[in-house]
Amino acid sequence: MIKLHQVSKNFSQFQAIKSVSLVINKGEIHGIIGASGAGKSTLLRLMNLLESPDDGEVEVNDQKLTSLSSIDLRQARKSIGMIFQHFNLVANKTVFENVAVSLELANYPKKERRNRVMECLQFVGLETFMEKYPSQLSGGEKQRVAIARALANNPQVLLCDEPTSSLDPNTTAEILGVLENVNKSLGVTIVIVSHEMEVIKSICNRVTVMTDGEIYEEVSIEPKGIQDIDDSPKRFVEQLTKDGEMHHA
Ligand SMILES: Nc1ncnc2c1ncn2[C@@H]1O[C@H](COP(=O)(O)OP(=O)(O)O)[C@@H](O)[C@H]1O
Ligand SMILES: [Mg+2]
């Protein structure tokens, strides 16, 4: 579903991503974990070309994004939703309007917009909140609106950058439940960036561990616990599991 092939990204002289190759399968909930500054957000933003790579190729849904014209890229991006730590809702628009905007931008048929917005708000359990403004919502509610907005154009992939890092533990569990539902009932492939192992462990099938712009290791998480995909050392992930958070990398 998502393929990065030897992708690099520099900010001036600084190499934020160093020739990373990664495959994320259709239907997966894939975690990316690592300390602050490891390059997690940059890697995620390379997956929809919010950051364009200096080198390498990005393929999503069998389309090589790095070879597309800007018009085709805009089209391809409709199938990639994204949510953020700070929700990024438009403050002076209602819940309804926040979701509707993404349909307008995608030229979704006008007559069908209202129904589609309501469908998405129902999916996240917020249909009765449609007239409210973001400032009237809790953090968890704001993230639900952001999820509804990201789902509006029926994406195949949902990219999540620290989606629960501003939320308390109960709300975190709630939002992870919504994301699990997005994956299971809509079949959306999900990528979650987080610095919290608990979050990753509770929802992901596979985890990529990043340090200093590189992949340190990849592990699969099975119901019976963390398993190595290959024979790479397990110590790092065991450490993470104990701490529940990334402190050292
Ligand atoms: N737009 C930018 N300009 C300059 N440096 C950046 C930019 N974005 C990220 N970086 C740097 O790249 C590195 C990785 O950043 P980021 O991907 O945000 O890490 P993470 O999400 O793992 O905390 C950091 O050192 C950060 O300072
Ligand atoms: Mg980040």
Side-chain angles (χ1 to χ4, degrees):
M1 173 56 68
I2 302 174
K3 288 184 191 159
L4 302 182
H5 181 67
Q6 297 181 352
V7 168
S8 295
K9 179 68 188 178
N10 305 321
F11 295 111
S12 329
Q13 302 299 340
F14 179 72
Q15 245 193 315
I17 300 293
K18 303 169 186 167
S19 193
V20 164
S21 297
L22 175 63
V23 175
I24 295 173
N25 300 314
K26 191 172 167 59
E28 216 182 318
I29 302 184
H30 191 102
I32 298 176
I33 195 163
S36 177
K40 305 180 298 295
S41 295
T42 305
L43 194 71
L44 196 72
R45 293 162 60 83
L46 283 161
M47 292 179 190
N48 59 3
L49 253 51
L50 276 183
E51 301 285 0
S52 53
D54 295 300
D55 221 336
E57 285 168 355
V58 177
E59 192 181 308
V60 177
N61 214 3
D62 295 323
Q63 271 193 308
K64 210 175 272 177
L65 299 190
T66 33
S67 308
L68 296 180
S69 66
S70 54
I71 290 173
D72 290 342
L73 178 60
R74 205 176 312 149
Q75 187 66 28
R77 277 204 184 116
K78 287 184 197 174
S79 65
I80 312 174
M82 193 166 188
I83 62 171
F84 308 88
Q85 177 175 359
H86 299 295
F87 324 118
N88 297 12
L89 299 179
V90 182
N92 62 0
K93 288 191 187 292
T94 62
V95 164
F96 182 94
E97 289 163 348
N98 264 278
V99 179
V101 164
S102 81
L103 295 175
E104 284 159 32
L105 291 174
N107 278 323
Y108 200 89
K110 230 179 197 155
K111 282 194 198 140
E112 295 159 33
R113 282 180 199 165
R114 189 180 176 81
N115 275 345
R116 182 62 190 149
V117 171
M118 292 318 289
E119 258 173 30
C120 294
L121 287 177
Q122 269 157 19
F123 185 85
V124 299
L126 285 186
E127 65 275 22
T128 60
F129 286 61
M130 57 183 274
E131 302 296 349
K132 290 192 190 271
Y133 286 87
S135 62
Q136 300 172 292
L137 307 180
S138 70
E141 288 159 357
K142 284 183 205 170
Q143 194 60 294
R144 282 170 188 263
V145 176
I147 293 170
R149 178 179 62 183
L151 293 178
N153 290 301
N154 279 307
Q156 310 256 351
V157 175
L158 180 61
L159 306 177
C160 311
D161 195 351
E162 305 272 5
T164 61
S165 297
S166 308
L167 305 175
D168 63 55
N170 283 337
T171 315
T172 291
E174 216 177 274
I175 292 299
L176 293 178
V178 175
L179 292 176
E180 215 158 17
N181 194 22
V182 168
N183 174 258
K184 296 284 176 304
S185 65
L186 304 178
V188 174
T189 304
I190 295 186
V191 187
I192 299 186
V193 162
S194 180
H195 63 282
E196 294 166 310
M197 194 60 191
E198 276 308 312
V199 166
I200 298 285
K201 259 200 324 183
S202 67
I203 185 173
C204 296
N205 317 117
R206 224 151 52 94
V207 189
T208 299
V209 183
M210 287 195 75
T211 53
D212 294 330
E214 293 182 289
I215 293 180
Y216 179 87
E217 65 182 338
E218 257 188 75
V219 287
S220 63
I221 299 179
E222 304 297 342
K224 53 186 178 318
I226 289 178
Q227 309 267 310
D228 269 308
I229 282 175
D230 49 32
D231 292 329
S232 60
K234 252 193 306 203
R235 273 175 308 144
F236 194 71
V237 166
E238 277 168 2
Q239 167 85 34
L240 285 177
T241 316
K242 258 182 241 139
D243 290 2
E245 245 191 80
M246 289 274 317
H247 295 299
H248 334 278

